[in-house]
Amino acid sequence: NKVTNLRLALKKFNGVVIQPNQTFSFWDVLGSANAKNGYVSGMVLSNGKVSEGVGGGLCQLSNFLFWIFLHADVEIVERHHHSVDAFPDSGRTLPYGSGATVYENYLDLKIKNSSSAPLQIKLWLTEDCLKGQILSDRPSAKKFHLVEKNHLFVERKGQYFRFNEIIRETHREGIKLSEKKILVNFSPVIYPVTNEYFSERGYEVVHL
């Protein structure tokens, strides 16, 4: 069902052009993810609980869009991180908390094109993956790198929380021009964890 919802959504997003100084909104592009528009029930993470809802799975698209936007010359206008750390790491390749959750009429993903060139969203599905690019009709002199810092788990009265900071570095011709803290994540962990889980992955734990 998630794939069905993603296929419908990609028809809206693929090819969208964001002009200089224009603000992109996830929901303005998508419209309503309801059954009338063909969306089906899928997994939804809301208020710290996993459930089913029409349009479920679209957060995978917002997560992905946010990640590729972070590598373009854009300004983050609105972004919300997931309220909980819902699943244990398994083959994680991106920093924790580098996604963006959306919820119709409440939580949006908005970015502003800060460059002097139009940016075009290109998205497609393979058998196993959601893939995409941000394209432009002229090269950008800037390159962006994401760095995770201060990643740790915090335990307080038997409840675990996860924390990290994500820094975006701006480079030009291989020289770092600047860095900016763009994300701070702090969420309760809702899956079981043990000392073995932390030690196997080399995670730092702070007990309060």
Side-chain angles (χ1 to χ4, degrees), residues 151-192:
H151 178 222
L152 53 84
F153 286 79
V154 177
E155 182 272 330
R156 184 176 184 272
K157 297 181 179 180
Q159 171 67 61
Y160 285 91
F161 301 84
R162 194 170 191 175
F163 173 84
N164 74 348
E165 299 171 330
I166 296 178
I167 313 299
R168 185 163 76 156
E169 298 178 347
T170 302
H171 295 247
R172 178 178 291 164
E173 297 179 351
I175 299 173
K176 185 170 74 171
L177 302 178
S178 63
E179 64 177 37
K180 181 180 180 181
K181 184 191 300 183
I182 56 169
L183 302 177
V184 178
N185 299 294
F186 185 73
S187 303
V189 177
I190 63 171
Y191 52 87

Side-chain angles (χ1 to χ4, degrees), residues 80-125:
H80 304 271
H81 72 78
H82 293 274
S83 58
V84 296
D85 182 18
F87 305 105
D89 289 351
S90 177
R92 178 185 291 278
T93 58
L94 304 183
Y96 161 70
S98 57
T101 186
V102 291
Y103 195 82
E104 192 168 353
N105 296 323
Y106 292 98
L107 306 178
D108 202 353
L109 171 62
K110 294 181 180 180
I111 63 94
K112 180 180 179 180
N113 181 358
S114 304
S115 74
S116 60
L119 302 175
Q120 185 182 45
I121 300 170
K122 178 68 175 178
L123 297 168
W124 66 96
L125 285 173

